[in-house]
Amino acid sequence: AATYAFGPLSAGIRIPDWLQGRFAVGTMSFPVYRTMVIGFGAGLALILWFVLDRTLIGARVRAAVSNRAMAEGVGINVPLLFSALAAVGGALSIEIFGLSPTYALDYLVLVLLVVIVGGMGSIRGAFAASLLIGIIDNAGKFLLPQSGGFLIYLVAFAVLFWRPSGLFSTAEH
């Protein structure tokens, strides 16, 4: 329905002027927007880690992952929490990836790989796996253009062969 209504092409998003351009550090140049996204992501990861590991609400959210009905029973709006985190990630990545009717499906495999390789229910695992898979995916596509996209699947296979529950699984072994 979205493709019919809006067409199959990606829609570009104009970012504010203060986030456009590049800045230099020594002899290196960095894009302002992507640096902001990396900084925001790192800050959000630290906040999530602190909240989830060190607070009462974090214990409740971890319980929501394990037992959604129980979490909702103690007053946590689980759909709103998960939707809000997904919305933040989507909003920050639109400028980089564009917005299309198939946006969610285009990146679903990468998201699932991050969750599985990192370990179900582990923020540290998701963070480590996202860095591992992101770096290997980009480096592989740059160094081996013909087959670089396949490297993340080899890494996922190797990690899961070594640790079937993922890098930092919270599941019982």
Side-chain angles (χ1 to χ4, degrees):
T3 300
Y4 181 76
F6 302 108
L9 301 177
S10 295
I13 303 297
R14 178 148 165 71
I15 59 173
D17 291 336
W18 61 276
L19 287 174
Q20 295 181 16
R22 302 178 74 78
F23 68 95
V25 175
T27 60
M28 299 178 68
S29 174
F30 301 96
V32 173
Y33 183 78
R34 289 181 184 226
T35 304
M36 184 277 305
V37 168
I38 290 169
F40 186 85
L44 184 59
L46 285 173
I47 290 168
L48 281 173
W49 167 79
F50 178 79
V51 168
L52 292 175
D53 275 4
R54 307 283 183 211
T55 66
L56 179 59
I57 189 71
R60 291 179 177 165
V61 171
R62 288 193 314 271
V65 172
S66 298
N67 188 338
R68 182 181 182 137
M70 188 279 303
E72 289 174 342
V74 296
I76 297 172
N77 188 341
V78 176
L80 178 64
L81 175 67
F82 292 161
S83 297
L85 291 174
V88 168
L92 288 174
S93 65
I94 286 174
E95 195 279 332
I96 296 169
F97 299 118
L99 180 62
S100 70
T102 61
Y103 178 79
L105 296 176
D106 293 342
Y107 301 101
L108 182 61
V109 171
L110 286 174
V111 170
L112 292 175
L113 275 177
V114 165
V115 170
I116 292 167
V117 168
M120 295 293 290
S122 170
I123 293 294
R124 281 182 303 192
F127 185 72
S130 65
L131 289 176
L132 176 71
I133 288 173
I135 290 169
I136 289 173
D137 187 40
N138 283 296
K141 289 175 181 174
F142 179 75
L143 297 172
L144 304 166
Q146 299 81 10
S147 60
F150 184 68
L151 285 178
I152 58 172
Y153 302 105
L154 289 176
V155 169
F157 175 79
V159 168
L160 294 174
F161 186 76
W162 170 54
R163 293 187 53 96
S165 295
L167 294 173
F168 296 95
S169 177
T170 58
E172 296 290 323
H173 296 289

